[in-house]
Amino acid sequence: MSLAAAVAAQRGLVAGLLDRLAEIGRDPPGITRHAYGEREDAAHALVAGMARDLGLEVARDAAANLAMTWPGADRAAPRVMLGSHLDSVRHGGNFDGAAGVVAALAAIAALRGTGFAPRADVTAMAFRCEEAVWFGLGLIGSRAALGLLPREALEARRADTGETLAAHIRRSGGAPEAIAPGAPLIPPGAVRCFLEAHIEQAPSLAEAGLPLAIATGIPGNLRHAAIRIAGEDAHVGLPRRFRRDAALAGAELFTALDALWREEEAAGRAMAFTIGRFHTPVETHELTKVSGSFALSLDLRAYDPAHLAALERRLHAIVAEVAARCRVSIALGPRSAAPVGPCDAALRAQLAEAAARMGVATMPLGSPASHDAANFAAAGIPTGLLLVRNTNGSHNPREAMEVDDLMAAAATFAAWLAAQA
């Protein structure tokens, strides 16, 4: 059987897995697969069952990450890893993360159908808790696997249950006591490279009319999930010169950051910032009251470490300026960060060639989002990322990936593995 025919034969597996994952996560108006919760556990069990049906070895590590391995001729040789995650944001879509796990399994199934035998192990991964909404820190499973998870993260509490990450890991079959910074769960030198497929976050491929992109890099980010502005409650009629308006300070901070983004964009320096939470305290805000307190969150990202560091310095300067001008105090609160993830140049070229061999048109494209792949790149492991066309963005119920486009990613992975694994 030709490789193209073998990939096409996996369309039913791909569509069926996606449908069953959607059923597990169904939470109108979208999909919710809680990290280290019953729905993510069920998604992992589903995928593990499919892997066993394909004849793969199934194992879980101390972080409850799922490894599904196709044994190679040389079991001691560094392996190829492919995969992504199965958790979602609340009321998100079905494909963010899950598409990458399914594409990895489809590529392996296709190659097995041709009789191909890999020289070294090929492992499809389903990492835990990629989304930061659950514990205030993203990429948790891959951070733990690579020894990059801060010790204090185990005491972070899940947004909905209030229980610690350690408790949730244990309930999902992991062993949090075995997770420590500098103690990777994946032995050093055991991974030759890591490949991930992920839906795109902006409709760049839809705009270009292409199914797939070869990612050029993954931005790093810094996050402040609980910024607090403190001013003074006052009467709605208070003249401006007497006010210490925390809400106005929040608005000024927002517009100053937007002006920074416009300035950086005009200079050709790619970045983004997002304020997700932005509110006066719901228990005390009133129509006729100047609010003395305000809360917001901030995600700031860029593709170059030096640029990200420069942006953080600008952030602190802006905060100081707004605080002085509005006569308030601004506490940025806890800081978390994810590293910049450069995509390996050789892998980028090889993936483009593999796609071309399978008749898949691609383009180079920077990923606007963080991914588990960024942790592998930060750990010095060569990393490649495929972006799959998705018209309506992600983290919303309207994610619009087509199965045929995911099949193009699976075909590209299969062709790459046939040439390289």
Side-chain angles (χ1 to χ4, degrees):
M1 180 185 297
S2 72
L3 183 55
V7 171
Q10 306 310 315
R11 198 179 193 286
L13 178 150
V14 168
L17 264 181
L18 291 173
D19 286 347
R20 293 172 72 185
L21 286 167
E23 192 57 39
I24 287 169
R26 192 170 308 284
D27 185 19
I31 296 290
T32 304
R33 289 189 288 264
H34 312 73
Y36 289 112
E38 291 182 3
R39 294 184 183 188
E40 190 191 40
D41 289 348
H44 275 242
L46 170 65
V47 169
M50 180 61 67
R52 291 189 185 95
D53 291 344
L54 293 174
L56 307 185
E57 297 176 354
V58 174
R60 291 176 178 83
D61 65 18
N65 295 314
L66 176 64
M68 300 162 283
T69 299
W70 183 14
D74 183 357
R75 302 300 308 268
R79 70 187 59 205
V80 171
M81 274 191 173
L82 310 90
S84 193
H85 63 99
L86 293 172
D87 62 312
S88 77
V89 299
R90 284 177 287 238
H91 303 297
N94 190 40
F95 308 123
D96 185 335
V101 178
V102 174
L105 287 174
I108 290 172
L111 276 176
R112 286 176 64 85
T114 68
F116 177 82
R119 294 186 293 273
D121 289 2
V122 177
T123 297
M125 293 295 303
F127 291 107
R128 289 284 187 152
C129 193
E130 193 266 2
E131 301 292 0
V133 298
W134 298 109
F135 293 95
L137 179 69
L139 315 177
I140 283 175
S142 56
R143 287 182 197 253
L146 295 163
L148 302 174
L149 188 69
R151 192 178 303 278
E152 62 271 17
L154 291 170
E155 297 307 312
R157 295 184 180 273
R158 207 173 85 176
D160 55 343
T161 65
E163 294 189 60
T164 66
L165 173 59
H168 276 282
I169 290 174
R170 186 172 287 108
R171 190 175 295 120
S172 292
E177 63 277 3
I179 300 170
L185 304 176
I186 298 171
V191 181
R192 175 182 150 198
C193 64
F194 179 76
L195 304 176
E196 182 168 2
H198 203 284
I199 59 171
E200 63 171 340
Q201 272 69 38
S204 301
L205 287 165
E207 181 181 67
L210 295 173
L212 213 60
I214 313 297
T216 56
I218 302 166
N221 67 58
L222 63 96
R223 287 171 170 161
H224 292 280
I227 300 173
R228 296 287 183 262
I229 303 177
E232 188 173 90
D233 289 341
H235 187 276
V236 70
L238 191 70
R240 195 178 196 280
R241 68 185 182 277
F242 298 122
R243 292 191 183 206
R244 298 177 58 218
D245 188 334
L248 178 61
E252 291 210 11
L253 181 57
F254 203 142
T255 55
L257 287 169
D258 189 47
L260 171 63
W261 192 0
R262 290 173 183 271
E263 174 188 319
E264 295 295 300
E265 198 170 63
R269 296 186 289 265
M271 64 156 288
F273 87 93
T274 302
I275 291 179
R277 303 187 189 110
F278 192 74
H279 54 86
T280 52
V282 66
E283 65 277 7
T284 60
H285 63 191
E286 298 291 349
L287 175 63
T288 58
K289 182 177 180 179
V290 174
S291 182
S293 60
F294 198 81
L296 63 149
S297 65
L298 173 66
D299 177 294
L300 183 65
R301 55 187 56 203
Y303 290 88
D304 176 79
H307 185 207
L308 187 58
L311 290 172
E312 185 166 21
R313 290 192 293 272
R314 290 289 299 276
L315 166 66
H316 285 279
I318 288 169
V319 165
E321 291 164 7
V322 170
R325 186 165 58 248
C326 295
R327 301 190 305 126
V328 299
S329 64
I330 303 177
L332 289 174
R335 175 190 184 277
S336 64
V340 171
C343 290
D344 182 78
L347 282 175
R348 287 167 53 192
Q350 292 165 7
L351 287 169
E353 291 168 5
R357 287 197 300 274
M358 300 303 288
V360 178
T362 65
M363 63 183 276
L365 183 66
S367 170
S370 298
H371 303 288
D372 289 307
N375 283 329
F376 283 84
I381 296 168
T383 299
L385 174 66
L386 298 180
L387 297 172
V388 184
R389 179 166 47 192
N390 171 43
T391 304
N392 296 328
S394 65
H395 289 189
N396 71 73
R398 299 185 304 116
E399 288 176 3
M401 183 201 73
E402 297 293 336
V403 170
D404 285 345
D405 291 341
L406 188 60
M407 296 305 298
T412 300
F413 279 158
W416 184 91
L417 288 166
Q420 303 291 333

